[in-house]
Amino acid sequence: MNLPNYFLADLPPEATLSPTMIFEACQTLKRNRERYLANRTTPSLVNFFATLAENWLRQEFPFRKFALENATATGFSRPTLERGLDNFFKQLTRENFRALLLQEFGNALDATSGAVPENAVAASAMSRATQRFWRGPEFQVHIGAGNIPNPALTSIIFGLLTRSAQFLKCASGSSFLPRLFAHSIYDADPKLGACLEIAEWRGGNVELESALFAEADCVTATGSDETLDEIRKRLPLHIRFLGYGHRVSFGFVAGEILSGPRATKVVSAAADDVVAWNQLGCLSPHVIYVQPGGEISPERFAQLLADELERRETQEPRGEISAEESAVIASRRAIYEIRAAHSPEATQHWCSRDSTAWTVVFEADARFQMSCLNRFIYVKTVPDLKALLESADAVRGKISTVGIAAPEETMIQWAAQLARWGVTRVCPLGQMQNPPLTWRHDGRPPLADLTNWTDLELPL
């Protein structure tokens, strides 16, 4: 497949971007929005993205085939990329979009089309007296991170759904999948694709980014806390800024569920979360905490997880990583090899032979430990949720997701405590890196955060 030069990211590597090119691209996007996007109805956009997602799930879809044939350009193995794409596009159904719109806007009217989301609750007498309309920004800028592609693809979808022209600035070396997705939009609807720009450069290019920020109504960014602080300082005060900084996640397994066939399913679910996108997302676990008292001890759980990760490596290999990343894993392994030799009752570890493909470390010390990722997982033992939260106090306020394997009643009780502690998402173990379309990123509304409202007060 030869991709035409529709986007700045399509230019050859030797091409040099300039502030003038960025300014002209922004002006073109704004004009195209007025012509082709501003008057699109929400139902038509929902139908477009649901149909496009159905195509991405088809094995013969040219853009999917091209992505998988060039999986190395993404940094993931073909099986890992295939699973990630399937999980992402399976969420983009008409039913899920309707649930998202109802969650975000209720029965509010769309300022552009006057359409009401399906299944909206009937308006009361008071709501009939005050009608509410929402509208998205004219022009959005997205600053993407380079770890996994999902946030960038979601930003594109949500931006167009709010009828905003948008410019996605990808991290250096990470534009392949967003660019391919943008081409699939252009191929299906050239007018809609003309309201989107994809570019790639190394972060911190003040000249290019200043030209870009000067045109924006809203800027969203995903990255380190330091990156977000720098962006925030450079934005004019009138520009809305939505930043999603560094977050970490962990799993928690109830001892009572580690018996019989359920135990095998729990181990498999934990492996799913470690393998998904090679554990590189903020929703991926650094640690899996396990309660003692079940038929399978926490130490045995760690060993079974190691066996499962070894099996997964033959089916869904991690793929190549940089020499620097491999060196970090090798160095961390050496530390635990020494600890295990001196205190086997407190530390055990298992790892892939002749590679850094996967690593499992069991520690009796329950303190939260940051993983070096790329399928490097800690398993720790805690007697209960209270002890777990005390052990993770150092990262309180930075937890995104907790994946739980427990009976439903226990899961609900734990979720209530985790919510009070500040966790923004609790899900079943095995689904940590696969949030629903309605997920509130960092506890914030995904669409309503982007929009402004107009109230129409009618005479009583």
Side-chain angles (χ1 to χ4, degrees):
M1 175 181 285
N2 294 318
L3 298 177
N5 290 332
Y6 291 153
F7 307 107
L8 292 174
D10 294 323
L11 295 174
E14 62 272 14
T16 301
L17 298 179
S18 69
T20 299
M21 293 171 66
I22 301 300
F23 171 79
E24 292 176 349
C26 293
Q27 298 307 307
T28 299
L29 289 170
K30 291 180 180 182
R31 288 193 299 270
N32 289 345
R33 173 191 177 272
E34 289 302 311
R35 295 172 182 170
Y36 310 132
L37 180 59
N39 293 314
R40 292 284 289 265
T41 67
T42 301
S44 72
L45 291 168
V46 165
N47 188 64
F48 172 82
F49 282 116
T51 301
L52 185 63
E54 292 168 357
N55 286 332
W56 270 93
L57 292 170
R58 290 170 41 233
Q59 296 298 322
E60 67 275 16
F61 187 53
F63 293 98
R64 176 192 176 94
K65 289 178 63 177
F66 188 72
L68 296 178
E69 289 167 359
N70 294 272
T72 54
T74 69
F76 301 101
S77 69
R78 177 174 177 140
T80 298
L81 176 61
E82 188 165 21
R83 179 194 289 258
L85 291 176
D86 285 347
N87 286 340
F88 178 79
F89 285 108
K90 283 178 181 177
Q91 291 290 339
L92 305 183
T93 65
R94 291 165 181 80
E95 293 75 14
N96 288 346
F97 275 115
R98 283 194 288 267
L100 173 66
L101 291 165
L102 184 59
Q103 169 188 286
E104 296 296 291
F105 303 127
N107 63 345
L109 297 177
D110 184 314
T112 301
S113 67
V116 182
E118 290 188 29
N119 302 321
V121 178
S124 65
M126 183 171 292
S127 64
R128 283 197 297 270
T130 302
Q131 302 244 345
R132 295 177 176 86
F133 303 81
W134 60 266
R135 65 192 183 280
E138 178 187 4
F139 183 50
Q140 287 187 46
V141 169
H142 306 295
I143 307 297
N147 50 353
I148 65 175
N150 294 12
L153 306 188
T154 302
S155 293
I156 292 172
I157 294 167
F158 286 177
L160 292 175
L161 198 59
T162 55
R163 278 174 292 282
S164 302
Q166 57 195 301
F167 191 118
L168 172 62
K169 200 288 287 185
C170 299
S172 181
S174 67
S175 68
F176 176 73
L177 271 177
R179 181 168 65 101
L180 197 57
F181 182 57
H183 273 282
S184 73
I185 294 173
Y186 203 108
D187 183 72
D189 188 332
K191 292 181 178 179
L192 194 59
C195 301
L196 174 65
E197 182 62 86
I198 310 290
E200 175 186 321
W201 63 76
R202 187 177 297 278
N205 188 319
V206 175
E207 287 190 348
L208 296 183
E209 290 167 8
S210 294
L212 182 59
F213 294 157
E215 301 302 316
D217 300 300
C218 175
V219 173
T220 71
T222 303
S224 68
D225 293 344
E226 293 76 15
T227 297
L228 299 187
D229 284 341
E230 287 300 314
I231 293 173
R232 186 181 289 106
K233 291 174 184 176
R234 291 164 50 197
L235 291 178
L237 291 177
H238 69 277
I239 294 178
R240 179 176 301 187
F241 178 64
L242 304 174
Y244 301 96
H246 177 63
R247 295 291 184 271
V248 295
S249 300
F250 60 79
F252 187 25
V253 177
E256 61 187 297
I257 208 167
L258 290 178
S259 60
R262 291 189 301 178
T264 302
K265 293 180 180 179
V266 173
V267 171
S268 178
D272 285 342
D273 286 332
V274 175
V275 167
W277 295 118
N278 289 346
Q279 201 189 3
L280 296 178
C282 291
L283 312 185
S284 300
H286 289 250
V287 181
I288 296 178
Y289 289 97
V290 182
Q291 275 187 322
E295 291 182 9
I296 294 177
S297 68
E299 296 95 324
R300 176 61 176 160
F301 178 91
Q303 184 177 13
L304 291 174
L305 179 57
D307 293 342
E308 180 65 14
L309 290 178
E310 182 175 29
R311 187 182 69 83
R312 296 290 183 95
E313 181 62 18
T314 64
Q315 299 176 345
E316 191 175 328
R318 183 196 61 190
E320 297 296 323
I321 60 175
S322 69
E324 292 78 10
E325 290 171 313
S326 290
V328 169
I329 294 173
S331 176
R332 188 84 65 97
R333 281 181 174 182
I335 294 172
Y336 291 106
E337 185 176 359
I338 294 172
R339 290 184 183 178
H342 287 84
S343 303
E345 71 285 351
T347 303
Q348 299 179 47
H349 85 294
W350 301 263
C351 58
S352 54
R353 295 181 180 180
D354 304 321
S355 77
T356 60
W358 60 266
T359 308
V360 178
V361 173
F362 170 80
E363 281 193 300
D365 181 354
R367 284 177 295 181
F368 183 89
Q369 179 71 34
M370 297 289 289
S371 166
C372 47
L373 308 179
N374 282 303
R375 305 190 185 185
F376 189 116
I377 187 69
Y378 289 93
V379 175
K380 294 171 179 279
T381 179
V382 289
D384 50 39
L385 181 59
K386 182 176 182 294
L388 187 161
L389 298 182
E390 290 172 352
S391 301
D393 188 67
V395 289
R396 183 173 185 176
K398 293 291 185 181
I399 300 296
S400 169
T401 295
V402 176
I404 291 179
E408 184 174 329
E409 184 177 345
T410 301
M411 185 175 179
I412 293 172
Q413 293 173 355
W414 285 353
Q417 296 179 60
L418 289 164
R420 289 192 292 271
W421 194 70
V423 174
T424 59
R425 176 173 173 252
V426 179
C427 69
L429 195 70
Q431 291 295 314
M432 294 179 66
Q433 196 53 255
N434 188 29
L437 188 64
T438 53
W439 171 49
R440 294 178 173 93
H441 193 173
D442 291 352
R444 287 154 47 182
L447 293 180
D449 248 6
L450 300 172
T451 56
N452 288 319
W453 292 79
T454 297
D455 287 351
L456 168 62
E457 300 168 8
L458 297 171
L460 296 175

